[in-house]
Amino acid sequence: QSVLTQPPSASGTPGQRVTISCFGSSSNIGSNTVNWYQHLPGTAPKLLIYSDKQRPSGVPDRFSGSKSGTSASLAISGLQSEDEADYYCAAWDDSLIGYVFGTGTKVTVL
Amino acid sequence: QVQLVQSGGGLVEPGGSLRLSCATSGFDFSDHYMTWVRQAPGKGLEWLSYISSRGTTIYYAESVKGRFTTSRDNAKNSLFLQMNSLRVEDTAVYYCAKDGYGLSFDSWGQGTLVTVSS
C-alpha cells in the first residue's frame, strides 16, 4: 500500500490539458522533493520531472510539475497521443527511510 | 551515452534464489548511488533498495529486507541484487536505475523478468 496517493486514471482529448495529483504527508512530500516518472508497458520508466518542477534535458515543456505542502501535481498541456502512459510521483520518506512511489495514474488520450 | 544492461532473470521455485546484475557504462559509476525498482504484474512501481556510491550505506524496502541483498563492484561498474527465499509475490519485472538530481532516478536498465512459481 503506497503512502503517495494518485487518481487511478485521467483522460483528455488531443491538445487538452491534463493534471495529475499526488497526495502525501509531512514525512515525504512535505519534507522532500517530488519526482515524476512516465512508464509505458514493456519499457523502462522515464524521469519526467525532478526536484518538484525541474525538467531533465529532452523532456518537452508540455510537462510541468508543482508542489504545495504535502501534495504535488503533474500537468500535461497540449496532450498528444504519445502521452498515453502510466505516470508515477515519487519521493523519499523520512519515516519509512526509503523511497516511495505513488499509486500511479493511467492517462488515456481520447 | 549512459547504458544500464541487466541480466540474470528467469524462473525460480518458491524458496529459491536468483542474482540479478546491472552492467553500466557511459558515466562514472563510482560517483553515483544506484537503486532497484520492480513492477509486479498489474501493479505499480515499487522501490526495493538504494545503495550509496561506495556501497557503505544501503536502504531496503520492508517487503524485501532480510531476503534481498544489494551490492556493487565499482571496479567492474556493476550493480547486483541477490534475492533469497523468493516468494510467488516477488514475481515482477526488476529494474536497476542510476541516481540523478533531487533523489530522482534518471537512467534505467531495460528490466528483467523474475518469475517465482512451482
Side-chain angles (χ1 to χ4, degrees):
Chain A
Q1 199 81 1
S2 177
V3 297
L4 301 182
T5 303
Q6 300 177 232
S9 64
S11 63
T13 56
Q16 277 191 328
R17 176 185 172 93
V18 169
T19 301
I20 301 168
S21 57
C22 175
F23 296 100
S25 67
S26 58
S27 63
N28 41 66
I29 294 178
S31 51
N32 296 291
T33 61
V34 177
N35 308 305
W36 289 89
Y37 300 88
Q38 178 190 62
H39 191 205
L40 286 83
T43 70
K46 174 185 176 182
L47 178 65
L48 276 185
I49 298 288
Y50 67 92
S51 297
D52 301 335
K53 59 182 180 181
Q54 305 300 320
R55 278 187 311 277
S57 172
V59 173
D61 59 7
R62 303 185 293 103
F63 295 92
S64 61
S66 63
K67 187 177 87 171
S68 178
T70 59
S71 65
S73 293
L74 174 72
I76 310 173
S77 59
L79 193 65
Q80 299 182 4
S81 57
E82 62 256 37
D83 298 333
E84 196 160 275
D86 297 320
Y87 292 83
Y88 296 87
C89 60
W92 184 262
D93 190 293
D94 293 334
S95 294
L96 296 175
I97 314 179
Y99 199 75
V100 288
F101 284 97
T103 48
T105 298
K106 183 176 182 60
V107 169
T108 302
V109 181
L110 302 171
Chain B
Q1 77 275 25
V2 173
Q3 283 195 312
L4 290 79
V5 179
Q6 298 181 229
S7 60
L11 174 64
V12 61
E13 292 186 347
S17 298
L18 211 55
R19 189 192 197 210
L20 305 185
S21 299
C22 175
T24 74
S25 61
F27 66 101
D28 196 339
F29 181 73
S30 61
D31 281 348
H32 289 269
Y33 280 52
M34 298 291 293
T35 199
W36 288 99
V37 173
R38 71 183 178 186
Q39 184 179 39
K43 303 291 186 181
L45 298 176
E46 180 188 13
W47 170 81
L48 299 179
S49 75
Y50 195 42
I51 184 169
S52 64
S53 56
R54 296 185 179 183
T56 52
T57 300
I58 310 174
Y59 303 101
Y60 293 100
E62 283 299 321
S63 59
V64 302
K65 197 176 291 184
R67 300 188 300 122
F68 290 12
T69 302
T70 294
S71 62
R72 62 191 295 160
D73 185 338
N74 285 352
K76 295 184 177 179
N77 297 325
S78 294
L79 175 72
F80 306 100
L81 182 66
Q82 177 66 44
M83 303 184 294
N84 298 330
S85 303
L86 282 161
R87 305 167 180 166
V88 171
E89 54 265 34
D90 294 319
T91 295
V93 175
Y94 286 71
Y95 297 97
C96 60
K98 162 191 165 293
D99 76 331
Y101 295 112
L103 268 175
S104 66
F105 309 131
D106 63 1
S107 297
W108 294 68
Q110 81 278 18
T112 188
L113 177 62
V114 172
T115 302
V116 185
S117 174
S118 54

